[in-house]
Amino acid sequence: DQQVKQNSPSLSVQEGRISILNCDYTNSMFDYFLWYKKYPAEGPTFLISISSIKDKNEDGRFTVFLNKSAKHLSLHIVPSQPGDSAVYFCAASEDTDKLIFGTGTRLQVFP
Amino acid sequence: EAEVAQSPRYKITEKSQAVAFWCDPISGHATLYWYRQILGQGPELLVQFQDESVVDDSQLPKDRFSAERLKGVDSTLKIQPAELGDSAMYLCASSHRSGRRVEQFFGPGTRLTVL
């Protein structure tokens, strides 16, 4: 059973606009969440994270929002740039460093 | 910039054959992870090492998969015999220590195709 779900396999956004990537989880014991970005032919790279004691974490153009009651988190990219085109993975962990990944969302930012 | 190295980048084999993948983590990183990513899915942890010791191999199919990190540096993941369902991307990651707030750095992966 998929504990971390990314229900949108793809997203297309115009350059300069906001990109919103969504992630849902089922395990209420998860208390740390991460987003990874993956370019073709490269491994995933860490983007941003959030602890369950927070509901928002911001790093430059990237902001992650966490709604614990809904078991939902989202990644906002503002403004979106063509270089942001990649696959984005949501991941979660419980009380260990084992990461449970979602299936990924392919973001395409067009001019 | 230090990177996780993996080889080969691509491997095509026939079912029933043995295959091996190699990973060289970032220098000084004590923790090493092997993940498998099946097409259309996210990476799934197969095995985690802390130095030369296995910390978690609960998702490793031990009847055909084996992993070692003899000197606590580089690591080898082996599949014998390979099956069609093993076709996937095998990713290696490392971190300077274990812990869930410690960033994991991923290598480029080895794409395995089993015919």
Side-chain angles (χ1 to χ4, degrees):
Chain A
D1 185 34
Q2 195 78 18
Q3 297 186 71
V4 178
K5 301 177 184 180
Q6 294 177 256
N7 293 317
S8 298
S10 63
L11 176 67
S12 188
V13 173
Q14 188 173 31
E15 181 179 5
R17 306 294 289 268
I18 184 172
S19 295
I20 300 176
L21 295 92
N22 294 303
C23 178
D24 297 292
Y25 61 96
T26 57
N27 186 346
S28 58
M29 298 302 292
F30 287 148
D31 63 355
Y32 191 63
F33 304 89
L34 310 89
W35 285 93
Y36 277 79
K37 177 171 69 174
K38 186 182 184 303
Y39 292 119
E42 296 182 13
T45 56
F46 170 76
L47 190 57
I48 192 169
S49 63
I50 188 167
S51 167
S52 61
I53 62 174
K54 296 184 177 182
D55 55 15
K56 176 183 175 181
N57 188 27
E58 189 173 354
D59 184 2
R61 297 184 298 113
F62 302 92
T63 303
V64 56
F65 295 92
L66 175 62
N67 182 334
K68 291 187 292 295
S69 61
K71 295 190 180 69
H72 177 85
L73 64 155
S74 61
L75 175 68
H76 293 209
I77 306 174
V78 182
S80 302
Q81 300 175 354
D84 296 329
S85 297
V87 176
Y88 289 79
F89 290 100
C90 169
S93 72
E94 205 172 313
D95 58 355
T96 69
D97 50 350
K98 179 177 180 177
L99 297 179
I100 307 298
F101 284 86
T103 53
T105 296
R106 181 177 302 277
L107 173 66
Q108 182 179 8
V109 180
F110 60 92
Chain B
E1 183 176 317
E3 296 180 341
V4 176
Q6 290 188 249
S7 67
R9 294 292 305 274
Y10 304 90
K11 179 68 177 180
I12 299 174
T13 191
E14 294 183 345
K15 63 179 182 180
S16 303
Q17 296 299 304
V19 291
F21 314 129
W22 178 79
C23 172
D24 191 12
I26 294 173
S27 178
H29 279 197
T31 309
L32 185 146
Y33 311 82
W34 282 102
Y35 288 85
R36 176 174 60 185
Q37 185 184 3
I38 296 171
L39 188 64
Q41 299 183 19
E44 176 191 26
L45 180 68
L46 292 176
V47 61
Q48 176 184 346
F49 289 92
Q50 181 63 33
D51 299 308
E52 67 275 8
S53 300
V54 173
V55 173
D56 183 352
D57 64 354
S58 58
Q59 300 301 310
L60 188 70
K62 298 180 187 64
D63 57 334
R64 298 184 300 107
F65 286 64
S66 64
E68 60 183 16
R69 193 184 184 201
L70 293 177
K71 297 182 179 179
V73 182
D74 58 337
S75 175
T76 302
L77 178 69
K78 298 179 181 178
I79 308 174
Q80 182 173 16
E83 295 181 353
L84 296 178
D86 296 332
S87 294
M89 176 73 81
Y90 290 83
L91 295 162
C92 179
S94 70
S95 61
H96 74 276
R97 60 174 175 83
S98 64
R100 62 214 177 106
R101 287 172 171 76
V102 179
E103 182 177 345
Q104 296 183 27
F105 295 83
F106 283 81
T110 295
R111 181 167 296 283
L112 173 66
T113 301
V114 182
L115 304 176

